[in-house]
Amino acid sequence: MTQFSHTQTAHCESGVISNLFGHHGLHISEPMAFGIGAGIFFGHLPFVKVNGVPGSTYRIWPGAIFARACKRLGVEMESHKFGSVDKAMKALDQMIDKGVPVGMQSSVYYLPYFPESYRFHFNAHNLVVYGKDGDDYLVSDPIMDTVTRIDTESLIRARFAKGFPAPKGKMYYPLNVPQEVDFNEPIKAGIAQACHYMLKIPVPMFGVKGIRFLANRVKDYPAKVGDRRAALYLGNIIRMQEEIGTGGAGFRFMYAAFLQEAGSLLDKPELNDIGRELTIVGDSWRNFAANAGRVCKARSADNVSYGELSKMLVQIAGQEENVFRRLSTVKL
Amino acid sequence: MKKDEVPQDGDNLHHGTFKQLFYAVDHQGDYTTATSIGWEPENVALSQAWDEVEQRVADTKAKVEAGALSPIAYYMERTLLDLPLLALKAGKFQWQVKRHMKPSVFKGLSDKMTERYAEIFGIPASTLRSGELLPFKRPA
């Protein structure tokens, strides 16, 4: 049976990159994968609603970190989607038989080993299947602290969940992984792209502007949608920010860890400094979540508390803007 | 966040059985990792989300029992789906699924369609057809 070295990570996509590349001899930490893939982002999409509640994101869209990391590091990936369950499972079995661990996109709703309270319909989770034992598949799910297993029927349901984004049995594995990589260029490209996405997208919902956009809307929640829904909207912001597989402050800390690692690697102490600033921004996000949690818990909405939360977001936007402006001027 | 400030609020829905990984700084200000069994704001938000699900399931149950909606509506809420997602899974337009939520239309639903819904809901087709409302259990 294939041995797979499993390391728990904070986020599924950067975690799978780190674990899967590591298996093929390219050792890269999760923050490094996240940074090279320019994973950090912000977006608030009031029109994309799940159960009537608008969504926010603290990271780039699913799959982007992976695609960018592969391109920048020169990793060649093979990726398939399937129309039929039979073909998808056969293709998986063939790869496992060859001893190749396979990454796949899945819905968390159908993962029996996942904490039940987190099992909502979220289809962009990533995990690695590295073996089979009877009717069970052996799984390295990067957000679990240890390897686990899943029965065939659940895996099929998870791989073929409908909804956005539909996994369609998507599986992927590296064809060619370079053993020696010069990290300089990938780091530079990753940082340049992150700065661009945080500062320059000409759409008000994205990047630093998006945080201000959210701030504007939060302030009016109680008046616009009533106390009960206002609390639900707020609760969702916290969940998108703090729940596993996402992590708002978590992504800020992870990116700060990347800047630190990159600073040492490229001998650019300025990156370490900016990383420290970003750590402070992460703490501000956590402070915001703590206060938002209090407002949710109190259940009685008042415009004052929503106004305060809005001000905190404006401040965070300012802090984040400073960090990325400074980052964009570093000569690498 | 400093490593020793990584929250350990175990009062959550998975009772500390699951640990999340975080990046946090040590005393020298260098990044390292730490695990957390939970954090209060997240626990509040998550439990609020489940309260909402529970409420919707209970409301819909009452409507089904009063004969205003078909069991399709109940099982949609019970499996945490909403109309767009259920329609997608059923391969129908939203207005069609909405029609299937009328008790009179539900009665005349084909076996094939009933079975498709039952599979989506993860219940036996006979249960769905008979209109039995299996209880909803929120994670506890």
Side-chain angles (χ1 to χ4, degrees):
Chain A
M1 180 134 333
T2 312
Q3 290 296 315
F4 191 77
S5 162
H6 171 89
T7 306
Q8 187 187 16
T9 57
H11 173 59
C12 67
E13 194 173 331
S14 41
V16 165
I17 299 174
S18 173
N19 280 334
L20 212 50
F21 288 11
H23 179 84
H24 292 274
L26 174 58
H27 296 283
I28 170 169
S29 70
E30 182 190 18
M32 203 49 118
F34 186 71
I36 289 173
I40 198 153
F41 191 51
F42 182 85
H44 178 67
L45 299 162
F47 318 111
V48 182
K49 288 187 180 172
V50 176
N51 279 319
V53 181
S56 309
T57 179
Y58 297 81
R59 46 153 290 168
I60 204 72
W61 46 84
I65 304 176
F66 220 111
R68 296 160 173 183
C70 288
K71 192 175 136 219
R72 288 180 183 143
L73 294 167
V75 175
E76 234 183 288
M77 291 292 288
E78 179 87 0
S79 172
H80 297 284
K81 284 189 177 182
F82 300 89
S84 108
V85 169
D86 272 356
K87 278 187 189 150
M89 295 312 279
K90 267 200 198 105
L92 172 62
D93 288 346
Q94 270 172 10
M95 291 320 289
I96 298 173
D97 280 347
K98 279 194 229 162
V100 180
V102 175
M104 52 189 53
Q105 187 189 334
S106 70
S107 155
V108 296
Y109 187 76
Y110 302 104
L111 302 178
Y113 59 80
F114 225 68
E116 217 187 325
S117 51
Y118 287 116
R119 287 167 58 188
F120 289 85
H121 292 280
F122 172 71
N123 282 353
H125 188 58
N126 286 277
L127 49 86
V128 173
V129 170
Y130 66 94
K132 197 174 180 183
D133 178 18
D135 193 40
D136 283 351
Y137 285 88
L138 306 180
V139 174
S140 158
D141 187 316
I143 66 137
M144 304 299 289
D145 58 354
T146 162
V147 289
T148 162
R149 43 175 68 215
I150 186 171
D151 60 282
T152 305
E153 199 192 324
S154 298
L155 183 61
I156 289 173
R157 285 186 151 237
R159 292 184 73 190
F160 280 90
K162 291 275 184 5
F164 180 81
K168 294 197 175 120
K170 184 179 172 186
M171 63 177 231
Y172 48 87
Y173 46 87
L175 280 184
N176 186 11
V177 182
Q179 303 296 298
E180 288 295 320
V181 171
D182 179 359
F183 280 103
N184 289 22
E185 288 304 319
I187 289 172
K188 268 191 225 175
I191 288 179
Q193 190 173 33
C195 291
H196 183 84
Y197 274 66
M198 286 304 290
L199 299 171
K200 296 215 167 120
I201 297 183
V203 175
M205 293 89 154
F206 296 141
V208 166
K209 284 196 289 287
I211 307 176
R212 295 201 177 98
F213 177 74
L214 174 64
N216 248 320
R217 299 185 76 93
V218 163
K219 155 169 108 298
D220 299 330
Y221 277 170
K224 267 205 174 141
V225 296
D227 290 4
R228 198 175 135 265
R229 297 204 70 73
L232 274 178
Y233 282 21
L234 207 53
N236 198 52
I237 298 173
I238 307 175
R239 276 177 60 216
M240 291 297 113
Q241 187 184 324
E242 293 304 327
E243 209 162 298
I244 42 175
T246 51
F251 285 136
R252 270 61 198 162
F253 295 140
M254 202 197 293
Y255 200 77
F258 156 70
L259 290 177
Q260 189 174 59
E261 201 179 326
S264 312
L265 210 64
L266 307 184
D267 194 23
K268 294 274 176 192
E270 216 176 332
L271 292 182
N272 300 52
D273 292 345
I274 299 171
R276 265 187 286 278
E277 273 179 46
L278 189 58
T279 302
I280 298 170
V281 185
D283 287 332
S284 301
W285 274 112
R286 288 184 71 82
N287 195 17
F288 166 78
N291 283 287
R294 253 166 246 141
V295 174
C296 277
K297 207 175 176 178
R299 281 164 200 274
S300 61
D302 58 70
N303 292 319
V304 179
S305 49
Y306 281 82
E308 291 298 319
L309 291 173
S310 169
K311 272 185 210 148
M312 294 181 84
L313 285 173
V314 171
Q315 215 165 17
I316 289 172
Q319 287 177 315
E320 233 165 73
E321 182 165 11
N322 287 341
V323 166
F324 286 98
R325 287 225 182 280
R326 193 171 159 202
L327 187 58
S328 64
T329 60
V330 177
K331 292 267 173 293
L332 291 171
Chain B
M1 181 169 52
K2 295 206 175 68
K3 193 181 174 181
D4 48 20
E5 290 167 358
V6 172
Q8 307 293 345
D9 303 333
D11 182 22
N12 53 30
L13 295 169
H14 48 85
H15 309 286
T17 53
F18 172 76
K19 284 187 183 142
Q20 207 173 330
L21 189 88
F22 276 97
Y23 291 88
V25 293
D26 63 16
H27 290 293
Q28 273 80 51
D30 291 330
Y31 266 93
T32 172
T33 58
T35 56
S36 159
I37 57 168
W39 191 37
E40 212 216 326
E42 191 210 343
N43 301 340
V44 168
L46 199 52
S47 135
Q48 182 202 38
W50 283 105
D51 286 348
E52 178 66 14
V53 172
E54 204 167 39
Q55 186 66 50
R56 269 208 303 268
V57 171
D59 290 349
T60 314
K61 190 176 182 208
K63 282 183 193 152
V64 174
E65 282 167 350
L69 286 173
S70 83
I72 303 281
Y74 173 77
Y75 282 108
M76 176 181 86
E77 298 294 352
R78 186 179 183 259
T79 26
L80 315 186
L81 295 167
D82 57 10
L83 188 63
L85 199 48
L86 178 56
L88 208 62
K89 282 177 184 275
K92 293 277 158 191
F93 293 109
Q94 294 188 26
W95 62 266
Q96 291 175 300
V97 173
K98 235 178 173 165
R99 254 187 93 239
H100 298 163
M101 290 182 181
K102 284 188 183 170
S104 55
V105 178
F106 173 71
K107 270 189 213 110
L109 223 53
S110 71
D111 284 352
K112 210 177 135 210
M113 198 62 233
T114 315
E115 275 157 27
R116 200 187 296 175
Y117 275 122
E119 207 207 322
I120 294 167
F121 299 142
I123 55 169
S126 54
T127 308
L128 183 60
R129 197 171 296 115
S130 72
E132 189 192 342
L133 304 184
L134 298 174
F136 168 74
K137 205 176 129 274
R138 86 180 249 169

